[in-house]
Amino acid sequence: MDRWVKKIAVVTGASAGIGAAIAKDLAKAGMIVVGLARRVEKVEELKNDLPEDVRQNLHSANCDVMKEEEIIKTFAWIDEKFGGVDVLINNAGILIPSVRLIDEGNSSAILDTVNTNLIGLIFCTREAFKSMKKRSFAGHIVHISSLAGHIVPNVQKDLPGANFNVYSATKHGVKAITENLRQELLIENLGIKVSCISPALVKTDIYNAQSPNAENAGALDHMPQLESEDISAAVLYILGTPPHVQIHDIIIKAVGSFV
């Protein structure tokens, strides 16, 4: 990680869960971190979890990755204030398990999921690449995807009433985008790397926060789960690889995982 000390890392969805763990660990590793979130006060609160001597490494920016104009404005601000983006962690993602693909009135939930998990990731990547190319900097882009990008989970077996709707499709899309982006970056010949991390179940609020049934709250507790810090450790490993090493996709499961 020595080459990344004092370099600029942007983490989307940094207010909680995996994004918060990544933002804190990158700041501890000496990077200047800009955490993007709609709840910027939550990002600011993360400083309380950091050693005093690295708290100044963490910054926040209000950005809804569902909105292209906010992405463009935020990345331009980062360029102006910090000099550019060196590492991008595309972590922002949502799952709305109360919605089925065949339900009436599901348009907002479906569009929000696609726009956050897929379109926002693409536009953030585009703006980060623009910053890297302008400075001829061999940066790194990391997508936080999901095991659901490799399989379509049968959640009905364990969580009756829950639905993955378009979530798995967006994560399969991230897998394809990672390879497509790798090929495009090869042509650019700037040394920019792209990697993907696909965790199985992680102990976060992505499910419980929008559980379709109150009785399902905590329903995942009996299943083997990863911690957010496990995913952050994988990010540090990927960034720590030498320039000639391309980590394409890492699948991470808790021991005893049912899939």
Side-chain angles (χ1 to χ4, degrees):
M1 287 292 294
D2 289 349
R3 70 176 290 240
W4 299 113
V5 172
K6 298 303 180 184
K7 299 298 184 183
I8 310 302
V10 174
V11 182
T12 69
S15 61
I18 295 171
I22 294 171
K24 289 188 290 184
D25 281 351
L26 292 180
K28 290 176 186 176
M31 296 196 72
I32 307 302
V33 181
V34 183
L36 273 50
R38 288 178 294 181
R39 301 176 298 171
V40 289
E41 70 281 0
K42 295 294 184 182
V43 179
E44 288 296 316
E45 289 173 6
L46 298 179
K47 294 180 180 181
N48 297 327
D49 299 330
L50 293 173
E52 191 171 348
D53 61 333
V54 297
R55 288 178 184 173
Q56 72 279 2
N57 289 352
L58 180 60
H59 305 264
S60 63
N62 192 324
C63 182
D64 184 346
V65 299
M66 288 191 289
K67 299 176 180 178
E68 181 183 8
E69 64 275 14
E70 287 195 20
I71 293 172
I72 294 171
K73 180 179 178 181
T74 300
F75 276 79
W77 172 78
I78 293 170
D79 267 7
E80 180 180 349
K81 182 174 179 63
F82 299 99
V85 180
D86 302 317
V87 168
L88 170 65
I89 312 295
N90 276 313
N91 166 75
I94 61 172
L95 166 65
I96 306 176
S98 59
V99 173
R100 300 184 303 165
L101 293 173
I102 56 177
D103 287 341
E104 291 187 21
N106 65 2
S107 302
S108 178
I110 296 299
L111 288 171
D112 284 355
T113 304
V114 172
N115 287 335
T116 300
N117 298 1
L118 204 57
I119 305 302
L121 175 145
I122 293 170
F123 291 158
C124 286
T125 297
R126 180 191 68 196
E127 296 304 304
F129 168 74
K130 182 172 69 173
S131 175
M132 295 173 191
K133 182 175 182 179
K134 181 171 62 177
R135 296 172 293 121
S136 296
F137 184 79
H140 206 139
I141 298 162
V142 181
H143 305 318
I144 306 301
S145 185
S146 170
L147 182 62
H150 297 262
I151 63 172
V152 178
N154 182 8
V155 293
Q156 299 297 336
K157 180 176 66 175
D158 298 292
L159 294 169
N163 306 279
F164 264 41
N165 50 73
V166 76
Y167 179 83
S168 191
T170 62
K171 295 304 185 179
H172 275 73
V174 171
K175 180 173 67 173
I177 285 168
T178 301
E179 172 58 18
N180 199 91
L181 182 59
R182 186 188 69 85
Q183 295 178 19
E184 291 185 1
L185 292 174
L186 280 175
I187 297 171
E188 293 291 330
N189 196 31
L190 295 172
I192 300 172
K193 298 196 284 187
V194 58
S195 303
C196 190
I197 299 175
S198 298
L201 187 60
V202 182
K203 194 181 297 183
T204 69
D205 289 333
I206 191 170
Y207 175 77
N208 286 336
Q210 302 202 49
S211 177
N213 301 303
E215 61 269 23
N216 278 350
L220 302 179
D221 291 348
H222 70 285
M223 302 177 186
Q225 299 181 54
L226 297 160
E227 300 287 345
S228 295
E229 290 73 19
D230 299 326
I231 314 309
S232 180
V235 171
L236 292 177
Y237 165 70
I238 287 173
L239 293 178
T241 55
H244 71 281
V245 174
Q246 171 85 24
I247 301 294
H248 192 67
D249 197 354
I250 295 179
I251 296 176
I252 309 176
K253 301 181 183 182
V255 172
S257 177
F258 62 95
V259 290

